[in-house]
Amino acid sequence: MTWHEWREAPAGDYAVIGDPVSHSRSPAMHAAAYRELGLDLTYRAIRGPRDEIVQALDHLAALGYKGLNVTVPLKDLAFAWADRPEATVSVNTLCLGSRTGISTDEEGFVRSLPEDLRGPVPTLILGAGGTAQALARRLIRDGRLLQVWNRTPARWDGFLAEHPGAIQVAEPDPAGCRLIINATSAGLSGESPPVLWDRIAPDALAVDLVYGRRTPFLEQAEAAGVATLDGT
Ligand code: ATR
């Protein structure tokens, strides 16, 4: 797929920015939507490394881009760039003119779940980074019984102080949960959190938020006989 380094990007209307960006499906999805709606707009893929992201966003705004989708690993920096972020830690969508940022990831995640898992079902989240905490906030709003685990437990302290209903578990033990979400980045380095797979319920769903690849977590879930979903 065609993509541009941010300094060499031609003027345009909308774009996705990431690093890497060549794997993004956003240009194809937006081109199809524009065609369907009869809109004469351009949508490009642009690479911007983390240490140049502020200059890249300012440059694209000056070039006349109206909005950007922001992908990994730039979402926290896009949040910092926005003057009016309507999210807590990261954003995936920027309106460049108003410097507004929003995150549609958490809502998109909930909508991607099978209907019977969208309600308040017992859920275990693994990891405690920005992705895990933003999703935990969204899920707890539905009244879910939420269990959280992280390799470094103290990273959940602030969240637990704000949300006393959530329970921190000492081991990644899925017993009693219908949904187990791997929000760690372990899959990116070919690893998996040490889930106690022999304790998972047969009707549970295991989800890895890592995008577009079979992670060891998903392979182990399959071997344990439960349904799986990747982060696509
Ligand atoms: P993001 O903003 O995408 O959530 P992050 O803040 O780097 O990314 O968080 C990555 C998460 O993956 C952390 O919870 C990290 O655990 P630590 O807080 O203990 O560092 C977790 N993680 C990364 N590699 C892991 C591994 N091999 N096993 C278990 N957890 C891992």
Side-chain angles (χ1 to χ4, degrees):
M1 196 205 57
T2 316
W3 56 275
H4 309 273
E5 294 289 350
W6 69 268
R7 281 193 182 80
E8 290 148 21
D13 300 303
Y14 297 95
V16 55
I17 187 165
D19 183 24
V21 77
S22 55
H23 66 294
S24 172
R25 297 176 191 171
S26 292
M29 288 192 296
H30 284 81
Y34 295 164
R35 218 174 19 248
E36 188 66 25
L37 296 168
L39 297 171
D40 184 20
L41 294 168
T42 58
Y43 189 100
R44 305 190 196 286
I46 298 174
R47 191 182 83 92
R50 276 185 72 85
D51 57 356
E52 294 176 354
I53 198 64
V54 171
Q55 297 102 292
L57 294 176
D58 290 343
H59 176 72
L60 296 172
L63 264 183
Y65 280 84
K66 300 179 185 70
L68 296 178
N69 292 121
V70 182
T71 185
V72 200
L74 308 174
K75 296 179 185 185
D76 57 331
L77 300 176
F79 173 83
W81 182 86
D83 284 340
R84 291 188 291 160
E86 291 170 17
T88 46
V89 281
S90 66
V91 299
N92 67 353
T93 308
L94 285 174
C95 174
L96 295 180
S98 62
R99 290 182 80 113
T100 312
I102 61 167
S103 176
T104 62
D105 284 341
E106 296 76 37
E107 199 52 44
F109 172 80
V110 172
R111 288 192 204 177
S112 76
L113 291 174
E115 196 118 16
D116 61 325
L117 296 180
R118 286 185 211 159
V121 299
T123 299
L124 171 64
I125 295 192
L126 312 176
T131 311
Q133 297 207 14
L135 188 56
R137 277 199 176 79
R138 172 65 185 78
L139 294 181
I140 225 159
R141 252 182 35 211
D142 293 337
R144 277 175 198 252
L145 179 62
L146 198 64
Q147 298 187 16
V148 298
W149 173 88
N150 193 43
R151 186 173 67 173
T152 315
R155 286 189 74 186
W156 277 110
D157 285 355
F159 181 93
L160 292 166
E162 273 175 51
H163 301 94
I167 298 164
Q168 188 168 36
V169 291
E171 287 183 295
D173 178 354
C177 290
R178 287 289 313 286
L179 182 62
I180 167 168
I181 303 165
N182 183 18
T184 74
S185 51
L188 296 176
S189 41
E191 294 168 8
S192 173
V195 178
L196 307 181
W197 288 111
D198 55 339
R199 294 174 54 80
I200 198 160
D203 64 347
L205 174 69
V207 186
D208 198 317
L209 300 184
V210 166
Y211 187 90
R213 69 168 94 179
R214 291 315 281 173
T215 59
F217 172 87
L218 292 178
E219 280 165 8
Q220 290 168 16
E222 261 167 24
V226 298
T228 61
L229 194 66
D230 70 24
T232 311

